[in-house]
Structure formats: structure tokens, C-alpha cells
Amino acid sequence: MDMDTVIRNTRVMDGTGSPSYTADIAITSGRIAEIHRPGNGPRPTGRTVVDAHGLATSPGFIDMHAHSDLALLQDPSHEAKAAQGVTLEVIGQDGLSYAPVDDRVLPSLRTQIAGWNGPGHDADFTWRTTGEYLDRLDHGFDGAGIAVNAAYLIPQGTVRALALGWDDRPATGAELDRMRRLVAEGLEQGAVGMSSGLTYTPGMYADDAELTELCRVVAAHGGYYCPHHRSYGAHALRAYAEMIELTRAAGCALHLAHAVLNFPGNEGRAPELLRMLDEARAAGADITLDSYPYTPGCTTLAALLPSWAAEGGPDAMLARLKDDATSARVRHAMEVEGSDGCHGVPVDWRSVEISGVTDDRLAAAHIGRTVAGAAADRREEPWTTARRLLLEDRLGTTVLQHVGHEENVRTIMRHPAHTGGSDGILHGAKPHPRAYGTFPHYLGHYARELGVLSLEECVAHLTSRPAARLRLPDRGLIREGYRADLVLFDPGTVAAGATFEAPRTLPTGIPYVLIAGRFVMKDGRRTDVLAGRTVRRTPLC
């Protein structure tokens, strides 16, 4: 019988990391029906046949750290990810997202993370619970779905805002009980785990005891904890150790978000981090991690401020910035002490590049300039420029921080527990190129050009390993019966087109992408197919 689609003569990289082989892949009803190797009887036939000679076929790439929470609902094409071969994104990252919410929390939340996702003017925000948000994603555009699949993490900072606002204080017993219920409800409604942003308010106000209690709930539901921990700078190794210890106490699986070591004091220290992880894993800890293949980081300008300046929420932060005396205290914390928002390191304004604003009137004078450079143009101090920008853009400014180390990036990506995550912020005039380039950059630059990983091993980092963390029984490998979420790429030419100068350039060498057996990319062009759906937590047996 004819299959729906047959991919002929392809080099199969099956996601295990094993050597590739040549075969035909037959697809029907959204799943892989047959993998036919040469000489094993009649070849499958199909209504659609793709001659993939010279192309590799791998499972679809899983972006373990994505910020597409609104983009999936606002941009039907979502080429930034579809063109890279991403077939599944994990959203709800860094402890801040849009579910669960109520009418009191939602406006402040939208302001706080406008730098990540934009203001969301085109989103309807009709949901309030996690389940309602996931249902909204499934509905997508006029009931047709979304561009790629999506899994969701319960955002601990959002949960804390619901329970006790943006106050910097311990939770009461009743407030902790409410947070436990909110996390449990979200997991029961399909979330795959819980995230934290422990350099972002209000999540960073939680102490280890509070986080441990919430992780116990996550563990009881078979999810995992994904923290952006308390420091990637001056106290990075201590912050990693803190996450390992609290998840050990809670009996919870741990996935370390954008596991990097940045800022001058951490150059060459990646082996120390990996030794720590290996010792914990040898003792029985369930630990994985993700990283992006670039040295600069990306966040909001407001995130670099000390946490005390943000207590009470965005409006309280803006009021403090308007006050000259308080603003002087903020400046001292940032430039002299090293604020907790800047990972305990005094800010170097020459390394902070302005990449996006929510007020378009501010773009021409700031986008692509460092804060120090924009200040020099105006003949003013860098803090004066930063303060003015924070106020005029109402905290919506996005920045790149050029504080990473290439040696650390390469060392971490070799680790067997490593997975790929773009941390891609799609909002802004000049976003980080990782949003459009992470996965082809891994394949083209780090695997083919530098040989940091073989192509087969690199594919495993981007497919089966994240699928195992997400406990997905039929994704991440090319196997008969598995879902036909597939990427066809040219091993000789695949590359990221995105650069820091032109960050929205699409990649090359990825002509075909399929989700549930349907072509979302065909002949290098985005189709109008919306095959994405939510991928919800697999219940414990």
C-alpha cells in the first residue's frame, strides 16, 4: 500500500548518536511506518516521494529553553524556529510566564516581561489557568494549531506573585500551601515541570526551603525543576551547588537552564562545574542541562538592577528610578557592589548592548549601541543613559551581555547530559542571533567545522536526550511507530544565517521539516501548515 510520504536514499541520523546509515523512511498517519534499508525487500511507495540523496534525516530538534510564549499565538509562521528544524519548544522559562494568572497579576507581569515577549497587544489573554493556556495553544490560529509543538513549565515567579505579590519576604504557611496547590494544578493540567528565575523578581525572593517544598510537588507528579539559578557570575559554582542540594532534598529531577559560566572570574572553570555534576550524578542525582552555542547572553536591562529596587513590582521599580536619591543607590549597587541582578559582578556598560525597545521612538538612538556608546553620543554618564532608557521604555528594553567564554561553551556542550536550548528572545529590533540560529549553528559550526561533536552525537544532544528528559515515549528517535517529527538537512552546508549584525536571517541547508508527517518546511520554504500542538506531561505509571 502507498504511504503518505516516503523519504528516499537519506542518511539516517537516528538520534542515538550511533553511526548514520542509508535508508528510506516511510510515513503514514503522522508516524514512521517503515525504515527500509537497501536490499531488504521491496521499497515502500508513497503518494509524496522526496529524493533525499545527499541529505541527512534526523528527529526534529527540541528547544529545551524557548521564550515563544506569545510568539506561538501571534506569529503563525514562526519561521525563527520552524526553519531551524525545531519541532518542539519548552516554554514557561525562567520563572515568569502567563499562566497561571489572575486579573491582578497579569498587567504587572505583562510589563515585567515585555522585554522578552513584547507587550502582547495582539494576544487575547483569555486564559487564567495553565490548562486554559495550553488549550489556547492547541486552538492556535482559528483552530488550526500552532507552528511547532510546545511543552510548558509552571513559572515559580508567577506562582509566587499570585500567592504574595512582589514582596521580598518569606511566605506564610497559607501562602506556601497556595503555591503548592498552584504548582500541583498546573502539573495535573499538563505542565512538564517547574521553572525559576532566581535573579528575577519575585521568584528570587524565595528561599531554599520554599523552593524545596515546591520541588517536592514537582517530584510527586513526575516533573522536573528547571532553574535559572542565583548567579552565573561571581557565585556561579555555589549557585549550581545550591540547586543540586535542594533538588536532592526534594527527590526531584533537575535540568539546569542555560548552563553557562560567564564574566571574567569564571574563564576556564567549566571543568569544575562538570566535575560537580558528575559527582552528583554518580551519587544518583537525575541532572541534565542545556546551553546555547554563543558567548553573549541576553536579558532585559531592568533585570540587571538589584532585587531590592524591584520589590513591589514594575510600578514600584519605576518610582524608585524616578527618585534621584534612590536612583543613586541603585547605581552604586550596580557599578560598585555588583548587584544580584547582574550576578554579583559590577556592571561594565561597555559589555551591555541594547538589542530591543518597546517604544519605537527610542530605537534609532539606541539599538545596536552599548550603553557606554549611547552615553558617549549624548555626553553623559552611562548610568544616566540606562536610567533614562528604563524610564522612557517602561522597563521593556532588551540587552545583550558580552560576558561569555568560548572555552566554557565548548566544554559544556560535550557533556553527555547536555541538550540544546536557544534561550531565544524573538522580540526587539536586533535580537540575539541564537533565536534564529542555535540549532544549525550547533550542526554547522561546532560539529562540522570545529569537530567539537560528531554530527551524529550533536543530533543526539538536540533530539533523544531532551526527549528523555521530557519523558516522551515516541519522540526524539527515528524508530518505526514513532511520531514523524523529522528534519532533513544537508550535512555539508547546514549553517546559521543569523549573525549579530543580521540576527533575523534564516539558516541554510535545512530544506525539509515535518511535524506529525506534514511538511512545515518544503524546498526551503515555510508552508502554511500549522501542525503544532501542546505536549503534556506523561502521567506516572
Side-chain angles (χ1 to χ4, degrees):
M1 97 179 179
D2 276 354
M3 300 291 178
D4 293 336
T5 300
V6 174
I7 301 167
R8 289 207 187 281
N9 307 312
T10 191
R11 177 181 170 187
V12 178
M13 296 188 184
D14 65 5
T16 65
S18 300
S20 55
Y21 59 89
T22 299
D24 297 344
I25 300 173
I27 299 164
T28 195
S29 300
R31 292 186 178 269
I32 299 171
E34 182 182 352
I35 302 170
H36 180 272
R37 300 206 190 199
N40 288 350
R43 301 177 78 176
T45 58
R47 288 183 284 276
T48 299
V49 176
V50 176
D51 183 357
H53 179 74
L55 298 178
T57 300
S58 80
F61 304 138
I62 298 175
D63 188 343
M64 286 295 287
H65 193 104
H67 287 283
S68 303
D69 306 49
L70 293 185
L72 284 165
L73 294 173
Q74 295 180 300
D75 176 15
S77 173
H78 202 40
E79 273 191 309
K81 295 303 178 68
Q84 290 186 65
V86 171
T87 58
L88 170 60
E89 299 182 280
V90 184
I91 57 177
Q93 299 286 351
D94 295 330
L96 291 166
S97 189
Y98 302 98
V101 292
D102 60 19
D103 293 345
R104 173 184 57 87
V105 165
L106 181 58
S108 294
L109 193 65
R110 288 179 62 181
T111 298
Q112 183 173 359
I113 54 178
W116 292 353
N117 302 308
H121 295 316
D122 296 330
D124 52 30
F125 293 102
T126 52
W127 62 86
R128 290 297 178 266
T129 69
T130 296
E132 289 169 350
Y133 174 63
L134 296 178
D135 290 345
R136 180 69 184 83
L137 288 171
D138 278 336
H139 185 270
F141 295 88
D142 298 324
I146 48 180
V148 304
N149 298 309
Y152 190 67
L153 295 167
I154 297 293
Q156 171 259 331
T158 300
V159 166
R160 198 172 208 270
L162 276 169
L164 62 152
W166 273 260
D167 294 343
D168 183 3
R169 62 172 176 82
T172 67
E175 289 164 344
L176 183 56
D177 283 344
R178 187 181 182 203
M179 285 189 279
R180 288 194 193 100
R181 287 195 302 273
L182 288 166
V183 171
E185 289 167 2
L187 291 160
E188 289 160 4
Q189 292 164 10
V192 296
M194 180 181 77
S195 73
S196 284
L198 300 179
T199 63
Y200 302 126
T201 59
M204 70 190 303
Y205 298 142
D207 61 19
D208 285 2
E210 180 180 314
L211 294 171
T212 300
E213 287 303 307
L214 298 182
C215 282
R216 292 187 200 279
V217 177
V218 175
H221 287 79
Y224 68 92
Y225 181 44
C226 181
H228 164 128
H229 50 271
R230 299 192 194 275
S231 175
Y232 290 83
H235 310 294
L237 292 175
R238 186 171 74 194
Y240 280 112
E242 176 191 7
M243 297 298 101
I244 293 170
E245 175 55 28
L246 76 83
T247 50
R248 184 203 62 76
C252 186
L254 173 63
H255 181 83
L256 295 165
H258 36 56
V260 296
L261 284 165
N262 289 338
F263 300 95
N266 288 318
E267 187 171 4
R269 300 191 72 183
E272 296 177 57
L273 168 62
L274 299 183
R275 279 195 298 272
M276 181 192 305
L277 300 184
D278 287 339
E279 289 171 3
R281 282 160 52 87
D286 182 359
I287 301 175
T288 51
L289 61 150
D290 66 64
S291 72
Y292 48 83
Y294 299 88
T295 53
C298 181
T299 188
T300 61
L301 181 58
L304 306 184
L305 273 62
S307 59
W308 59 259
E311 184 179 3
D315 289 340
M317 178 186 282
L318 289 166
R320 292 186 180 102
L321 288 169
K322 290 176 183 175
D323 180 76
D324 289 343
T326 309
S327 175
R329 288 181 56 209
V330 172
R331 176 180 184 176
H332 184 80
M334 296 184 72
E335 296 184 347
V336 179
E337 297 172 353
S339 75
D340 48 4
C342 197
H343 308 279
V345 179
V347 67
D348 179 355
W349 295 115
R350 296 169 299 178
S351 71
V352 180
E353 179 185 350
I354 302 159
S355 60
V357 291
T358 54
D359 186 338
D360 292 338
R361 294 171 298 180
L362 300 169
H366 297 92
I367 299 298
R369 308 299 311 281
T370 65
V371 172
D377 289 345
R378 297 174 65 92
R379 298 182 181 179
E380 61 188 16
E381 294 293 320
W383 169 246
T384 303
T385 298
R387 177 191 182 192
R388 176 179 46 77
L389 191 54
L390 287 163
L391 289 169
E392 292 179 1
D393 206 28
R394 290 191 56 79
L395 311 179
T397 304
T398 310
V399 297
L400 306 183
Q401 276 190 287
H402 296 270
V403 291
H405 305 289
E406 179 67 20
E407 180 186 352
N408 286 346
V409 170
R410 297 187 193 187
T411 299
I412 289 168
M413 74 171 63
R414 292 188 184 101
H415 194 272
H418 170 266
T419 66
S422 71
D423 197 11
I425 293 175
L426 301 167
H427 171 67
K430 196 179 179 187
H432 196 303
R434 66 193 185 192
Y436 283 72
T438 286
F439 296 87
H441 199 49
Y442 266 121
L443 294 167
H445 182 61
Y446 284 96
R448 183 184 66 242
E449 295 176 2
L450 298 181
V452 175
L453 299 164
S454 70
L455 273 171
E456 288 89 346
E457 181 68 9
C458 187
V459 165
H461 284 243
L462 308 181
T463 59
S464 65
R465 293 183 186 178
R469 164 51 72 217
L470 294 168
R471 297 175 57 224
L472 303 178
D474 56 359
R475 300 174 198 258
L477 294 168
I478 294 181
R479 292 282 187 272
E480 291 179 358
Y482 273 54
R483 292 179 184 270
D485 294 354
L486 301 171
V487 182
L488 280 69
F489 65 91
D490 184 336
T493 64
V494 62
T499 64
F500 288 98
E501 292 72 31
R504 295 186 185 276
T505 307
L506 296 178
T508 57
I510 304 180
Y512 300 98
V513 180
L514 297 89
I515 296 178
R518 301 171 66 194
F519 289 94
V520 298
M521 296 289 297
K522 194 170 187 179
D523 298 322
R525 297 179 181 274
R526 179 72 171 93
T527 70
D528 60 2
V529 167
L530 296 171
R533 298 294 185 271
T534 58
V535 175
R536 308 201 187 196
R537 183 186 59 86
T538 303
L540 289 172
C541 298

